[in-house]
Amino acid sequence: MSLLNIFNIAGSAMNAQSQKINTSASNLANIDSIIYKNGKFYPYIAKQVILEFDALNKNSKIGGVKVSKIVDDPSPMHLIYDPHHPMADNKGYILKSNVNPITEMVSNISASRNYQANIEVLKTAKSIILKTLTIDE
Amino acid sequence: MFDKINKIFDFSQNKLNLYAKRQEILSSNIANADTPGYKARDVDFKNEFNKILNQKDNSIPLKKTSFKHLNGKNNFILIKTIPIDKNQIKLDGNTVNMDRERIAFMDNSLKYQSILVYMKNEIKNIMRILKG
């Protein structure tokens, strides 16, 4: 029954969108974070979620969404002059995370709106199925 | 007698199937509103509707899943989907127009429900006759 597939489709979209919200929350929270790796300190690199179409079955042209991968944001780090900072180099500059709060807020809003749209889809599908089940009353 | 009842419901059943399938396609479009490269799809309604109207064979559709099954007429209608041709404005190749999809989704669900009401009345009439 194709109406039941809507639950899978909208559910997968909600899953993917909440992952996006999660990622942008993590980016915003770590805007000042420093990562210690291989004996060196690095600023936190913003993460981006890449969404991918997830077909219902092999040859189907319709389907849900899945998170294909989470990649590092390729935009450059911010170089800020702050000679009193303990991590400043000998010229007085420090590297800061490339998280852009504006981008994060926009992607957060877009993801949450998409999430809501999928909830509406689910609600409609549920009410239609219930009405079909009670057709003989 | 059951053949006649089947005939009464056959048309509505096919239309319900078509609307349910379209609902699924529209939900897929809404779900993929953010997916790069996804092309929005829809059913060619006129074409599919003509397929239902021109269906001559009114026997009960049966699916044969084993060679021991009796021979039924296999007249399930395959519903084709086509990509929507719209000038796209997004850079990532996505062609979903959220406003269109939402309106179509609502419109489609109301049409589905109107057929349900019609079928309900049909069943009520049959019950009235049966009870006398």
Side-chain angles (χ1 to χ4, degrees), chain B residues 112-127:
Chain B
Y112 184 95
Q113 289 176 45
S114 71
I115 298 171
L116 279 186
V117 170
Y118 176 77
M119 281 181 88
K120 238 178 206 180
N121 286 333
E122 209 86 293
I123 294 170
K124 241 186 230 164
N125 284 342
I126 293 173
M127 289 313 283

Side-chain angles (χ1 to χ4, degrees), chain B residues 23-52:
Chain B
Q23 197 82 348
E24 188 193 339
I25 293 163
L26 292 174
S27 84
S28 160
N29 285 348
I30 293 176
N32 284 291
D34 231 6
T35 312
Y38 178 80
K39 301 276 179 270
R41 302 188 79 82
D42 205 343
V43 291
D44 184 357
F45 206 85
K46 201 174 161 191
N47 206 350
E48 300 300 332
F49 196 69
N50 275 332
K51 259 193 234 168
I52 295 175

Side-chain angles (χ1 to χ4, degrees), chain B residues 80-92:
Chain B
K80 272 187 193 158
T81 62
I82 48 166
I84 309 168
D85 279 320
K86 282 276 148 65
N87 6 343
Q88 69 187 59
I89 43 167
K90 295 181 201 166
L91 281 174
D92 58 359

Side-chain angles (χ1 to χ4, degrees), chain A residues 28 31 99-106:
Chain A
L28 274 178
I31 194 161
V99 177
N100 184 348
I102 300 167
T103 318
E104 298 305 332
M105 282 316 290
V106 171

Side-chain angles (χ1 to χ4, degrees), chain A residues 2-75:
Chain A
S2 46
L3 279 176
L4 286 173
N5 285 333
I6 295 178
F7 287 93
N8 290 335
I9 294 171
S12 74
M14 281 162 68
N15 204 355
Q17 299 298 344
S18 63
Q19 190 124 359
K20 267 189 112 173
I21 296 175
N22 234 332
T23 311
S24 76
S26 149
N27 284 346
L28 274 178
N30 284 298
I31 194 161
D32 273 338
S33 295
I34 285 157
I35 296 164
Y36 182 75
K37 211 164 78 183
N38 302 333
K40 272 179 111 180
F41 289 103
Y42 296 96
Y44 174 83
I45 301 171
K47 302 281 186 290
Q48 271 181 348
V49 176
I50 307 289
L51 298 183
E52 191 185 22
F53 174 68
D54 184 19
L56 272 181
N57 42 44
K58 242 186 180 174
N59 297 317
S60 179
K61 288 281 197 315
I62 54 175
V65 199
K66 68 178 176 199
V67 174
S68 89
K69 56 196 165 197
I70 296 178
V71 294
D72 286 345
D73 193 332
S75 58

